[in-house]
Amino acid sequence: MTGRCNQCQTRSLMASKSRVSILDYFNIVCEGENGKIESNCKACGTRIQAKRTVTSNFVTHLKAMYDEFVRKKDVKREAMQTCTGPPTGRVITQSGAGMNKFDYSDPRQSLISEAIAKMIIRDLQPAQIVEYEGFRELLQLLEPRYIPVPCHYIQQQLLPAYVSQVQLAAKQALKGAESCSVTLDLWRSSAVGAGFLGVTCHFINADWHIRSALLACLPLADHSNTQQMLSEFDEISESHGMSGKVFRVVADLSTCENTCAFRLPGFSLIGNAEEDEEDGSDEDSSAGEAKEANSSNENHKSLDQCLGRSRIDCFARLLAQCVKEGVCASPQISAPLNKAARLYNYIISTVAPEKLVQVFGSSTSTNWQRPSCTQKWNAQLKILRQMVESMDFLEDIVDRNDLVLGNLEKAELRELVEVLEPFEEASDMVQGDKHVSISLALPCVLGLRKHLAEVVTHQCSGIVMGLSQALDRRLAGILEDPLYVTATTLDPQFKLSWSSDSDWHKQVLLEEVGKHTRPLSPLEHHSEAQPSPSKRCKLFSFIKQRPTAQAKTVEQELSTYLHEEPTDEDPLQYWKRKSIDFPLLSQVAKKVFTVPATTTSVDQIFNLVSKTLTPEQCRLLPKNLDTLIYLKANYRILWS
């Protein structure tokens, strides 16, 4: 009897510990008088207001989300049953030696179908792959009980369901965003015979986390029609509730199959570099690039007219252009780069990977073992540096004298790596969409200027001069741009420590803050002025009351902020913590930090498609390529 009571007590204790509150599903933003709280749903970001003791609003919201989830599951299950019904006259309940097939409602059947859809999305495969004989044989070997789904189920049911799920999640997330910035990426390919416009939105949610989502990937018949692109952009903004919220538009419409990913001249990392030299396609490539440059300039002029000051260029792309112009300013560097490329291609094709681990790192990182022509200049510079540092070892294991670099060639490559290393560091620093990057652009330009003024070269003086000229031409304007001045100053690790004229930059910042701050409404002033019950009570009149805090002006907030010492704290977390102390400055920070200095995930996908698909492979391109690109860019939303 005692043992049974102990068991009951144990179960009761476990039940009490596992019990959760309805508020555990929400992030509480603020709590007012009489237990009134404002919170955001952890799942979708929706703002909910209610009293702590009355949770009906929270319960109603969660029930609506659950009902929507069940509805989607029912739709997918019904689609599976209607699309994959057994063919007439064919028994599917038995297989081989009496093995039962999965039922259509079996979770394992659904999981395998979902895994196939993931593969199609991540690898941009045509949906027809599910009907290939070899693919079905592989499925039969791995799981004989699985019933293969037809191609039209993937195309007409599963992928559209994923698209609806992403769109719903994006719209829900954008509802709580006060402002956002947008990146427009254009890609076209003569091989594919198509063009696409990617519209990516960047915003900071209520919990001060930066988020990015591809809102649309649209086929474009005429990539040079800027009005059509802007019209598509307006429709997307309207459908996603972004009208009036867009702060900046990052639009660099020069992306195409020739210029989307600059690589070091001759250092192609794939194929045979000797064939590249003898290809004879340089003139055609140059002519194509000149034509694209003219088209790009026209697009930029048209964009400037339509978008005005809200349009800016992508900092990472401008940085890559500077490197390209600087390296091309010294044609003699192409010869040692070509020779290094031939050496690289030879050793990775003839030497066992185990021997090369000490040169290129751990064998768990296989990027160097499977080189890709999609790698950009900074990724290739890392490989070139590793080769230069281990050149003696590589020459010892290579049995071809024609691939051994001379002392002069080694010196040229060593200097090239030294000159470009800070550019590589700047490019790596701004990459990624999970942290603030716009505030790093201005300090990067100042650091690169200082580096080029101090670096000593004997073989690469032409490259240094070319880089300096390109930097002044393309990026010098950042140093006086109010957007970059504001972003850098509001980054707590910099403030105005970078400025040579702090008074002038402070004035620029004040003017910019004044444009984007929203003064408190009379209602908000009244609500803040209401005393708490304890202050109105005569019972506590003997206690000395604190003086009522007066609202600070922008000048006072800025003076207090700049007086504090710089800190390495993450900018978003800093302003989340300081939003009460500096309400006006935090408004501007939440707006300015949405602007990205880096390229987007859809831009990287465009590069992948354009560099890995040859005209001979275009017959394998999926018809719904725009849908697959959209889902691949938003993969984390579906399967985080």
Side-chain angles (χ1 to χ4, degrees):
M1 186 69 179
T2 304
R4 185 174 299 177
C5 291
N6 290 336
Q7 289 180 1
C8 293
Q9 291 176 358
T10 302
R11 291 175 182 172
S12 176
L13 181 61
M14 291 176 63
S16 64
K17 287 184 177 180
S18 62
R19 191 176 303 156
V20 295
S21 168
I22 194 72
L23 295 179
D24 291 341
Y25 297 95
F26 298 85
N27 290 319
I28 296 178
V29 178
C30 62
E31 185 167 356
E33 299 177 3
N34 301 324
K36 185 177 180 180
I37 60 176
E38 290 190 9
S39 62
N40 293 323
C41 176
K42 292 182 179 180
C44 66
T46 302
R47 177 68 65 91
I48 305 293
Q49 295 182 349
K51 289 186 177 181
R52 181 180 286 274
T53 56
V54 182
T55 59
S56 57
N57 288 359
F58 302 112
V59 175
T60 302
H61 177 73
L62 290 178
K63 186 177 184 303
M65 288 189 59
Y66 177 76
D67 291 342
E68 179 68 13
F69 170 78
V70 173
R71 186 189 67 78
K72 287 184 179 179
K73 286 293 184 182
D74 291 340
V75 169
K76 291 173 67 175
R77 182 164 56 250
E78 291 173 4
M80 171 71 79
Q81 292 173 350
T82 56
C83 292
T84 62
T88 305
R90 183 179 177 186
V91 179
I92 64 168
T93 56
Q94 300 293 325
S95 175
M99 183 175 293
N100 291 331
K101 287 285 190 180
F102 289 141
D103 187 78
Y104 293 111
S105 60
D106 194 304
R108 292 168 292 183
Q109 173 79 17
S110 300
L111 285 174
I112 296 175
S113 297
E114 187 175 36
I116 294 172
K118 286 183 181 181
M119 180 204 69
I120 290 174
I121 293 170
R122 297 195 74 170
D123 298 337
L124 300 178
Q125 292 288 345
Q128 290 84 351
I129 193 174
V130 299
E131 297 181 350
Y132 292 169
E133 183 178 352
F135 184 77
R136 294 209 166 190
E137 288 181 358
L138 177 62
L139 287 178
Q140 176 68 19
L141 176 64
L142 296 176
E143 180 49 88
R145 295 171 293 177
Y146 175 71
I147 304 173
V149 296
C151 168
H152 62 84
Y153 167 71
I154 299 287
Q155 289 181 326
Q156 300 174 13
Q157 299 292 333
L158 205 53
L159 295 182
Y162 290 148
V163 169
S164 298
Q165 188 175 341
V166 172
Q167 289 176 342
L168 179 62
K171 290 178 182 179
Q172 288 286 353
L174 283 169
K175 278 184 179 179
E178 299 173 7
S179 62
C180 62
S181 292
V182 174
T183 300
L184 302 181
D185 292 292
L186 176 66
W187 172 74
R188 73 163 189 85
S189 172
S190 58
V192 177
F196 295 98
L197 174 67
V199 181
T200 305
C201 180
H202 317 272
F203 60 96
I204 296 174
N205 62 18
D207 207 26
W208 283 85
H209 291 127
I210 194 164
R211 295 287 183 261
S212 295
L214 178 64
L215 302 185
C217 179
L218 304 173
L220 287 178
D222 183 7
H223 74 280
S224 61
N225 190 339
T226 306
Q227 291 296 334
Q228 178 191 354
M229 289 184 282
L230 293 177
S231 176
E232 298 278 9
F233 169 61
D234 289 339
E235 290 183 11
I236 295 168
S237 299
E238 185 71 27
S239 64
H240 286 80
M242 298 191 313
S243 298
K245 291 184 177 182
V246 178
F247 175 61
R248 286 289 188 275
V249 178
V250 183
D252 188 351
L253 303 184
S254 60
T255 305
C256 68
E257 57 186 347
N258 292 326
T259 61
C260 59
F262 162 64
R263 301 192 303 275
L264 295 178
F267 205 68
S268 61
L269 295 184
I270 194 166
N272 192 317
E274 292 176 314
E275 294 177 0
D276 293 339
E277 285 184 331
E278 299 172 1
D279 191 14
S281 61
D282 291 343
E283 294 182 2
D284 295 337
S285 176
S286 299
E289 290 186 9
K291 183 178 180 181
E292 291 299 331
N294 292 333
S295 176
S296 171
N297 290 335
E298 293 177 1
N299 285 338
H300 283 174
K301 290 179 181 178
S302 182
L303 279 173
D304 288 336
Q305 293 173 356
C306 297
L307 298 176
R309 289 178 55 85
S310 64
R311 189 195 81 83
I312 64 170
D313 291 317
C314 174
F315 173 76
R317 197 182 300 278
L318 291 177
L319 191 64
Q321 288 294 328
C322 289
V323 175
K324 177 179 181 179
E325 293 175 11
V327 174
C328 292
S330 181
Q332 65 269 21
I333 199 66
S334 296
L337 280 173
N338 273 314
K339 198 168 184 179
R342 293 197 298 270
L343 174 62
Y344 175 83
N345 290 325
Y346 179 77
I347 60 176
I348 64 169
S349 60
T350 59
V351 179
E354 296 78 16
K355 293 184 178 180
L356 298 177
V357 168
Q358 68 181 74
V359 179
F360 299 110
S362 172
S363 58
T364 58
S365 178
T366 57
N367 289 335
W368 60 269
Q369 298 180 35
R370 296 194 299 269
S372 169
C373 60
T374 62
Q375 287 180 328
K376 297 184 180 180
W377 69 270
N378 50 337
Q380 296 192 348
L381 187 66
K382 290 179 176 65
I383 296 178
L384 181 61
R385 181 191 303 107
Q386 293 167 333
M387 291 180 63
V388 169
E389 292 173 351
S390 305
M391 192 60 70
D392 293 339
F393 170 77
L394 294 177
E395 290 177 351
D396 289 340
I397 62 176
V398 170
D399 55 359
R400 287 180 53 179
N401 293 330
D402 61 312
L403 296 180
V404 176
L405 278 74
N407 292 331
L408 180 60
E409 292 170 325
K410 293 178 185 178
E412 290 175 333
L413 293 180
R414 196 174 294 112
E415 280 195 4
L416 176 65
V417 170
E418 181 184 356
V419 170
L420 293 183
E421 190 169 8
F423 286 84
E424 173 199 357
E425 184 180 355
S427 181
D428 292 342
M429 193 178 296
V430 300
Q431 290 301 320
D433 58 358
K434 292 294 186 182
H435 66 277
V436 175
S437 57
I438 189 67
S439 62
L440 303 173
L442 190 151
C444 282
V445 174
L446 292 175
L448 292 174
R449 270 187 165 183
K450 183 175 184 295
H451 162 70
L452 293 175
E454 296 176 352
V455 67
V456 178
T457 60
H458 301 284
Q459 313 296 332
C460 296
S461 55
I463 294 179
V464 173
M465 184 177 297
L467 287 171
S468 298
Q469 294 173 351
L471 201 66
D472 289 340
R473 182 169 57 256
R474 293 187 175 273
L475 292 173
I478 285 178
L479 302 178
E480 299 179 358
D481 191 311
L483 170 66
Y484 292 94
V485 171
T486 302
T488 305
T489 306
L490 292 181
D491 190 325
Q493 67 173 316
F494 298 120
K495 298 194 175 181
L496 281 176
S497 59
W498 54 272
S499 174
S500 58
D501 189 351
S502 58
D503 291 336
W504 182 77
H505 285 124
K506 187 185 296 185
Q507 189 61 36
V508 170
L509 180 62
L510 286 173
E511 292 177 2
E512 194 70 8
V513 170
K515 296 177 185 176
H516 304 296
T517 50
R518 176 183 58 85
L520 294 176
S521 65
L523 181 62
E524 290 172 317
H525 274 299
H526 179 72
S527 63
E528 287 190 355
Q530 288 292 329
S532 65
S534 63
K535 290 183 179 180
R536 293 194 300 265
C537 183
K538 294 182 179 180
L539 181 63
F540 300 143
S541 60
F542 67 94
I543 299 176
K544 185 178 180 180
Q545 300 294 325
R546 291 182 303 171
T548 304
Q550 298 295 324
K552 293 181 180 179
T553 64
V554 175
E555 290 81 1
Q556 291 172 329
E557 283 191 19
L558 182 60
S559 177
T560 305
Y561 166 71
L562 294 177
H563 185 70
E564 296 178 356
E565 287 296 321
T567 173
D568 291 334
E569 185 178 0
D570 177 77
L572 294 176
Q573 294 307 307
Y574 174 87
W575 285 107
K576 177 184 179 181
R577 182 170 59 84
K578 290 286 190 177
S579 58
I580 297 177
D581 298 332
F582 307 125
L584 298 176
L585 291 181
S586 64
Q587 283 184 40
V588 182
K590 202 168 191 178
K591 200 173 273 190
V592 170
F593 288 162
T594 62
V595 183
T598 182
T599 54
T600 60
S601 59
V602 71
D603 176 72
Q604 297 167 12
I605 296 172
F606 286 161
N607 293 337
L608 174 66
V609 174
S610 63
K611 294 298 180 181
T612 56
L613 293 176
T614 62
E616 292 77 16
Q617 293 174 316
C618 287
R619 57 185 176 85
L620 301 177
L621 271 178
K623 295 180 180 179
N624 55 344
L625 180 61
D626 54 332
T627 301
L628 295 181
I629 292 175
Y630 175 77
L631 293 175
K632 181 177 175 67
N634 291 311
Y635 191 87
R636 286 182 299 186
I637 295 179
L638 288 168
W639 300 287
S640 58

